[in-house]
Amino acid sequence: QVQVVESGGGLVQAGGSLRLSCTASGLSFDDYAMGWFRQAPGKDPEGVSCINWSGAYTYYADTVKGRFTISRDKAKTTLYLQMNSLKPEDTAMYHCAADGSGSCGRVSAGGGGVDYWGNGTLVTVSS
């Protein structure tokens, strides 16, 4: 049974940092593109960041470029998102996604059609 479980969200002041983690089990982690999409109340899902199966390609939304860094630890089957210089507009539920195509297209488009995703971890940034 595949499980994708996020952690690391919380309440932080603007300018602060958080590191999200996503542990995936029950799938061939090395073969999957892994990424994050987020959804704020009343808004459509937004692709935040993704790393392809090999790690050779990474995607960042323009809204987070230069502030967020994605990484993956294949030995631990864990994905990370280091978020720095957080802004109130980063407030959202962050979901981890796994795409068996190995590519980041679906994650970057907001997560629709990915193979697996988690329940999310809430990030709240106060001004």
Side-chain angles (χ1 to χ4, degrees):
Q1 182 180 355
V2 175
Q3 287 191 312
V4 177
V5 180
E6 306 93 337
S7 62
L11 174 64
V12 64
Q13 288 188 330
S17 298
L18 285 173
R19 188 175 83 152
L20 305 185
S21 298
C22 166
T23 300
S25 60
L27 53 77
S28 298
F29 187 81
D30 291 6
D31 297 333
Y32 279 71
M34 299 293 298
W36 299 89
F37 65 93
R38 67 187 180 186
Q39 189 165 21
K43 294 190 176 182
D44 291 333
E46 176 191 15
V48 175
S49 184
C50 180
I51 185 167
N52 78 334
W53 71 275
S54 69
Y57 171 80
T58 55
Y59 163 83
Y60 294 96
D62 288 343
T63 50
V64 307
K65 206 170 290 184
R67 300 187 296 121
F68 291 10
T69 303
I70 194 169
S71 61
R72 65 192 294 169
D73 185 329
K74 292 188 174 184
K76 296 182 178 180
T77 64
T78 299
L79 179 74
Y80 303 99
L81 186 68
Q82 179 66 42
M83 306 188 297
N84 299 330
S85 303
L86 282 160
K87 303 175 181 180
E89 49 265 43
D90 294 317
T91 295
M93 185 70 77
Y94 283 70
H95 298 270
C96 178
D99 193 325
S101 73
S103 300
C104 287
R106 284 179 281 202
V107 177
S108 64
V114 298
D115 295 276
Y116 306 104
W117 63 95
N119 291 330
T121 186
L122 182 62
V123 172
T124 304
V125 185
S126 63
S127 56

